[in-house]
Amino acid sequence: MNGKDGHVPESLGGLLAQTYRRVVQGLSQRFKPYGVTPEQYGPLHQLCAKEGIPQKELAERTDRDQPGVTRILDGLERKGWIERRPNAEDRRSFLVYPTEEGRKLDAVLTPIERQTIKDMFGCLNSEEERLLALWLKRVGESALQLQQEGRTSAAEESGMKEQELHHKS
């Protein structure tokens, strides 16, 4: 619904998405000289914190789907920042390790990531930052619970079926 001036009011979801994009863009700018993206940094950083883990565990730790993690790891491997080794306990999977170059890159990028986030959240006092973290965590957990229950849209929640939505359009 539009306001009196024709401007569509900002939704919380829209604000969250916009903020996320701006944070990623800021990190992208600061990571660009190192040839790495924020999408690649997350898994690399997780591997440096706990190396030798299966891709499935890495997907869980980074909250990504397995095909997405595979694509990211392919790029990191091409650049020489990670390596996959056969899993002795499960021949169907590989364990993922950072290379020495990957560890060095993580050591350079981690302070950049922390400073970027500090700069972006500098507009908040410590209590506001604490509350924002609490609220985001609560909303994230609620979204995950709804997803796991299979209730991901308002249409599904109200009992409308996808077919009914298409039939009405």
Side-chain angles (χ1 to χ4, degrees):
M1 179 164 32
N2 292 349
K4 291 180 182 178
D5 63 356
H7 183 265
V8 177
E10 294 176 333
S11 70
L12 288 175
L15 287 171
L16 189 60
Q18 179 184 55
T19 302
Y20 170 78
R21 282 190 304 273
R22 289 178 179 174
V23 169
V24 170
Q25 289 167 353
L27 285 169
S28 292
Q29 284 178 323
R30 293 184 181 186
F31 285 175
K32 189 174 184 175
Y34 304 95
V36 68
T37 66
E39 181 183 49
Q40 294 170 322
Y41 168 74
L44 178 62
H45 185 67
Q46 287 295 321
L47 289 170
C48 289
K50 184 177 181 189
E51 61 181 47
I53 60 175
Q55 285 184 210
K56 182 178 181 179
E57 183 179 336
L58 183 60
E60 292 166 3
R61 290 171 67 89
T62 59
D63 198 28
R64 290 181 163 83
D65 62 20
Q66 288 191 54
V69 168
T70 298
R71 181 182 48 77
I72 292 167
L73 292 178
D74 289 346
L76 292 173
E77 192 171 39
R78 273 192 303 276
K79 292 182 176 188
W81 295 330
I82 63 110
E83 61 183 2
R84 296 174 175 122
R85 300 179 194 161
N87 184 347
E89 296 176 13
D90 181 356
R91 292 185 300 170
R92 297 169 297 166
S93 71
F94 291 89
L95 301 178
V96 188
Y97 294 83
T99 62
E100 188 57 36
E101 287 300 312
R103 282 188 205 86
K104 288 178 185 175
L105 179 64
D106 181 65
V108 169
L109 295 178
T110 297
I112 293 170
E113 186 267 347
R114 288 187 181 141
Q115 185 62 50
T116 301
I117 299 304
K118 184 178 177 184
D119 293 347
M120 290 180 182
F121 283 84
C123 62
L124 303 177
N125 65 41
S126 59
E127 179 62 10
E128 290 170 330
E129 192 173 326
R130 185 189 71 76
L131 287 171
L132 178 60
L134 175 76
W135 295 332
L136 288 172
K137 185 175 182 178
R138 189 181 303 165
V139 171
E141 288 169 356
S142 176
L144 179 61
Q145 183 178 359
L146 289 171
Q147 181 184 5
Q148 289 171 341
E149 292 172 2
R151 299 181 342 192
T152 56
S153 74
E156 290 171 342
E157 185 77 11
S158 68
M160 285 187 100
K161 304 272 188 266
E162 188 176 335
Q163 298 164 348
E164 294 171 357
L165 288 173
H166 290 293
H167 181 62
K168 291 183 179 186
S169 17

